Amino acid sequence: MNTPLSPVADTPASLALPSHPRFDIPWPSACAPKAEQIESAMLDWAQAHGLFLNEEHRRRTVRARFAWLAARCYPHAERRLLQAIADYIACFFLIDDLFVDRVDRISASTVPQLTAMLDVMDLHCLSEKPVYGETAWLDVCERLRQLLPAEHFERFAHGMRLWATVAGLQILNHLNGQPPAMQTYITVRRYMGGVYPTLDLIDPANAAPLPAAVLSRPEVQQLRLQVNNIVCWSNDTHSVDVEMKQPGQFWNMVTVYAAQERSLQHAFDYAAARIRTEIDQFLVLAAATEQNADHCLHTYIAGLKDWLRGYFDWLEHDTQRYSPQFAEKDADDRAFAHLV
């Protein structure tokens, strides 16, 4: 395909897309047992906390199969922690869709929603008039506080605080009316993907908490950055069908590159090449780091690999979140916004 993509957001929605690139993750799959039970419990929990705005909203969540993402990315986690992670993932995706991605760029609810999430983490209580998902978010945070070492919960919370605050930069990118520079987009995407908080759950999920001195080592931080990049950028190639139809926030690696007077095929090729390079560099650095790693660091690197493989397995085998079959309907949450 050689159709140029206009930098204007309305044009891409009608274009046919090239085939999504595939990536080789050269280590075996794993999945926690009883993933279906965890999924069922997650849906019941979401229903109890009012996360489903109507039956269509619930059906969309069922199609996403968020608990399977948790089960594949944390295959060795203890059951209670895995359930808390599955519930967290569902809560995060649903709030992100309704207030950051799949609605108008900004509304009267946007900032109060994000600050309420910050207050739950900082103040450990509900606001006087809880917003959408606030009770669910408090429940997740309370359970994770009980199940994680205090330092590890704070690492997780720090990542979530970055997500909530960088959402403002993403909104500004879209209000600007022009495609951002690629490096600007990549910097914002690094924190908007919500990947870093999940990486901070790896070592407690594997019963090998990583000391702060090890976590802060440059090579460990680089491995985390590489995993973050691989997941976020590959998600851009898989979600572009939906994101090009979103009413408010539509820029991703593919659309930003395509907006530079290039074809969608070239944009997919560009993104795929960057992702494959990142995977190769991760493999080299992981092998070098493992040579002198202690048990905790070995376990953490194995957990990073589980996370990568689990994410790609979820995309291939479980979720319909990015399915072209549902892209037209799933891309626009404005029909739900008045229900919040």
Side-chain angles (χ1 to χ4, degrees), residues 253-291:
M253 179 173 279
V254 175
T255 57
V256 169
Y257 192 73
Q260 301 169 4
E261 306 284 343
R262 296 172 172 85
S263 73
L264 275 173
Q265 184 62 66
H266 287 161
F268 270 87
D269 293 345
Y270 166 84
R274 291 199 67 157
I275 294 161
R276 292 188 179 108
T277 297
E278 208 76 7
I279 292 170
D280 291 343
Q281 291 176 348
F282 171 81
L283 290 172
V284 170
L285 181 57
T289 305
E290 285 172 325
Q291 290 181 7

Side-chain angles (χ1 to χ4, degrees), residues 20 50 66-67 72-73 93 166 184 230 239 241 284 288 298 313 316:
H20 293 170
F66 292 128
R72 292 187 183 279
C73 292
F93 271 106
V166 173
T184 298
I230 293 163
S239 64
D241 313 60
V284 170
H298 261 292
D313 285 347
E316 183 172 352

Side-chain angles (χ1 to χ4, degrees), residues 126-144:
L126 295 174
S127 58
E128 185 177 343
K129 295 182 179 179
V131 299
Y132 171 83
E134 191 174 338
T135 64
W137 181 233
L138 177 62
D139 181 67
V140 163
C141 288
E142 287 181 337
R143 288 154 65 197
L144 289 177

Side-chain angles (χ1 to χ4, degrees), residues 213-259:
V214 178
L215 180 67
S216 63
R217 283 166 48 180
E219 65 271 28
V220 177
Q221 289 297 305
Q222 183 65 21
L223 289 169
R224 286 164 54 88
L225 175 61
Q226 289 165 340
V227 170
N228 192 338
N229 288 343
I230 293 163
V231 172
C232 288
W233 301 348
S234 60
N235 179 265
D236 282 1
T237 70
H238 285 91
S239 64
V240 69
D241 313 60
V242 175
E243 291 185 353
M244 285 166 63
K245 297 176 174 65
Q246 288 177 181
Q249 313 222 14
F250 42 81
W251 294 122
N252 69 23
M253 179 173 279
V254 175
T255 57
V256 169
Y257 192 73

Side-chain angles (χ1 to χ4, degrees), residues 84 94 122 129 168 170 246 322 332:
L94 291 173
D122 295 345
K129 295 182 179 179
Q170 174 161 289
Q246 288 177 181
Y322 308 113
D332 193 341

Side-chain angles (χ1 to χ4, degrees), residues 277-334:
T277 297
E278 208 76 7
I279 292 170
D280 291 343
Q281 291 176 348
F282 171 81
L283 290 172
V284 170
L285 181 57
T289 305
E290 285 172 325
Q291 290 181 7
N292 298 306
D294 62 11
H295 168 72
C296 287
L297 183 52
H298 261 292
T299 303
Y300 187 70
I301 294 172
L304 290 173
K305 292 179 179 179
D306 282 338
W307 217 102
L308 275 180
R309 184 60 193 250
Y311 171 74
F312 282 103
D313 285 347
W314 176 68
L315 286 176
E316 183 172 352
H317 302 299
D318 304 315
T319 190
Q320 292 182 309
R321 178 173 167 82
Y322 308 113
S323 170
Q325 176 184 355
F326 303 107
E328 196 73 46
K329 183 180 292 186
D330 287 1
D332 193 341
D333 272 8
R334 288 176 296 181

Side-chain angles (χ1 to χ4, degrees), residues 6-322:
S6 164
V8 182
D10 329 81
T11 307
S14 60
L15 296 175
L17 292 168
S19 297
H20 293 170
R22 294 180 62 84
F23 304 102
D24 179 30
I25 305 297
W27 48 85
S29 302
C31 186
K34 301 183 179 178
E36 200 63 64
Q37 293 179 19
I38 294 165
E39 175 81 11
S40 177
M42 178 271 291
L43 293 170
D44 289 345
W45 172 85
Q47 183 77 46
H49 282 281
L51 290 177
F52 302 138
L53 299 174
N54 57 23
E55 185 55 33
E56 174 55 33
H57 197 226
R58 186 183 190 282
R59 283 196 294 269
R60 182 189 298 184
T61 306
V62 170
R63 292 199 303 269
R65 292 169 70 81
F66 292 128
W68 285 86
L69 177 60
R72 292 187 183 279
C73 292
Y74 307 93
H76 310 295
E78 180 268 330
R79 173 65 185 270
R80 288 185 307 154
L81 178 55
L82 185 59
Q83 188 68 61
I85 293 172
D87 296 347
Y88 152 66
I89 288 172
C91 183
F92 171 77
F93 271 106
L94 291 173
I95 291 173
D96 187 64
D97 286 349
L98 270 172
F99 295 93
V100 179
D101 277 342
R102 300 185 177 188
V103 286
D104 293 323
R105 279 167 278 192
I106 191 164
S107 73
S109 302
T110 306
V111 174
Q113 182 71 38
L114 296 173
T115 55
M117 294 182 72
L118 293 171
D119 281 345
V120 164
M121 289 183 288
D122 295 345
L123 307 179
H124 309 178
C125 63
L126 295 174
S127 58
E128 185 177 343
K129 295 182 179 179
V131 299
Y132 171 83
E134 191 174 338
T135 64
W137 181 233
L138 177 62
D139 181 67
V140 163
C141 288
E142 287 181 337
R143 288 154 65 197
L144 289 177
R145 277 194 184 92
Q146 293 171 3
L147 294 167
L148 303 179
E151 180 181 338
H152 287 71
F153 176 81
E154 282 307 315
R155 292 176 191 173
F156 163 82
H158 177 67
M160 287 304 302
R161 292 182 183 107
L162 285 170
W163 167 80
T165 51
V166 173
L169 297 182
Q170 174 161 289
I171 290 166
L172 288 175
N173 260 344
H174 286 81
L175 289 174
N176 185 39
Q178 295 294 321
M182 184 61 76
Q183 188 55 51
T184 298
Y185 168 75
I186 286 173
T187 301
V188 171
R189 184 68 166 110
R190 186 180 307 144
Y191 301 103
M192 280 308 302
V195 175
Y196 275 139
T198 65
L199 301 186
D200 288 320
L201 298 172
I202 286 174
D203 44 325
N206 288 324
L210 203 62
V214 178
L215 180 67
S216 63
R217 283 166 48 180
E219 65 271 28
V220 177
Q221 289 297 305
Q222 183 65 21
L223 289 169
R224 286 164 54 88
L225 175 61
Q226 289 165 340
V227 170
N228 192 338
N229 288 343
I230 293 163
V231 172
C232 288
W233 301 348
S234 60
N235 179 265
D236 282 1
T237 70
H238 285 91
S239 64
V240 69
D241 313 60
V242 175
E243 291 185 353
M244 285 166 63
K245 297 176 174 65
Q246 288 177 181
Q249 313 222 14
F250 42 81
W251 294 122
N252 69 23
M253 179 173 279
V254 175
T255 57
V256 169
Y257 192 73
Q260 301 169 4
E261 306 284 343
R262 296 172 172 85
S263 73
L264 275 173
Q265 184 62 66
H266 287 161
F268 270 87
D269 293 345
Y270 166 84
R274 291 199 67 157
I275 294 161
R276 292 188 179 108
T277 297
E278 208 76 7
I279 292 170
D280 291 343
Q281 291 176 348
F282 171 81
L283 290 172
V284 170
L285 181 57
T289 305
E290 285 172 325
Q291 290 181 7
N292 298 306
D294 62 11
H295 168 72
C296 287
L297 183 52
H298 261 292
T299 303
Y300 187 70
I301 294 172
L304 290 173
K305 292 179 179 179
D306 282 338
W307 217 102
L308 275 180
R309 184 60 193 250
Y311 171 74
F312 282 103
D313 285 347
W314 176 68
L315 286 176
E316 183 172 352
H317 302 299
D318 304 315
T319 190
Q320 292 182 309
R321 178 173 167 82
Y322 308 113

